[in-house]
Amino acid sequence: GRHIASCSADKSVKVWDAKTYTLVSTLESHTNYVRNCSWSPDGRHIASCSHDKTVIVWDANTHTLVTTLQSHTSSVMSCSWSPDGRHIASGSWDKTVKVWDAETYTLMTTLQSHTSSVMSCSWSPD
């Protein structure tokens, strides 16, 4: 990969050049700690999730906000792109995993069975 994305308690996502190790851009829109960030498989987008209960999708080329996904009722700890790039999963302290359509940015379903906070979610590669 040509870039590295990092997220922080300073409420930002930073994009770094992986060859020169220099800062390329700072993405700011979250209003609380950013817990996780994830590249889309095609490298065109970054998803970030936060204690502000949202998932933000960023354009990785223009470094601008594409959309904010809102449905969780507590901190969002994890966000993950499906291998085909068509969906985003987000896991939250509200004990749910939500699956989003990554083209229309609409909520597809809510997975409920955990009895405590969801700390991470991940797609299988197949």
Side-chain angles (χ1 to χ4, degrees):
R2 296 176 314 153
H3 295 96
I4 299 165
S6 61
C7 56
S8 171
D10 67 8
K11 307 176 193 173
S12 76
V13 176
K14 297 200 182 273
V15 179
W16 307 85
D17 185 299
K19 188 173 185 178
T20 64
Y21 307 113
T22 56
L23 181 64
V24 174
S25 183
T26 300
L27 312 178
E28 297 177 303
S29 191
H30 283 291
T31 59
N32 206 326
Y33 298 169
V34 185
R35 296 297 306 198
N36 184 248
C37 56
S38 176
W39 289 92
S40 63
D42 64 7
R44 294 177 52 213
H45 295 94
I46 301 167
S48 60
C49 57
S50 169
H51 279 292
D52 66 11
K53 308 177 191 174
T54 69
V55 176
I56 292 180
V57 178
W58 306 91
D59 184 303
N61 295 316
T62 63
H63 307 123
T64 56
L65 188 150
V66 174
T67 193
T68 301
L69 308 177
Q70 298 179 336
S71 180
H72 285 290
T73 58
S74 191
S75 298
V76 186
M77 303 301 287
S78 179
C79 53
S80 175
W81 292 84
S82 63
D84 63 8
R86 295 178 55 211
H87 303 97
I88 300 167
S90 57
S92 170
W93 281 359
D94 66 11
K95 305 177 190 173
T96 69
V97 174
K98 295 189 181 283
V99 179
W100 307 85
D101 183 305
E103 295 171 6
T104 63
Y105 303 113
T106 55
L107 180 63
M108 296 182 65
T109 194
T110 300
L111 309 177
Q112 301 180 40
S113 185
H114 286 287
T115 57
S116 190
S117 301
V118 175
M119 305 307 285
S120 182
C121 58
S122 179
W123 294 86
S124 67
D126 55 357

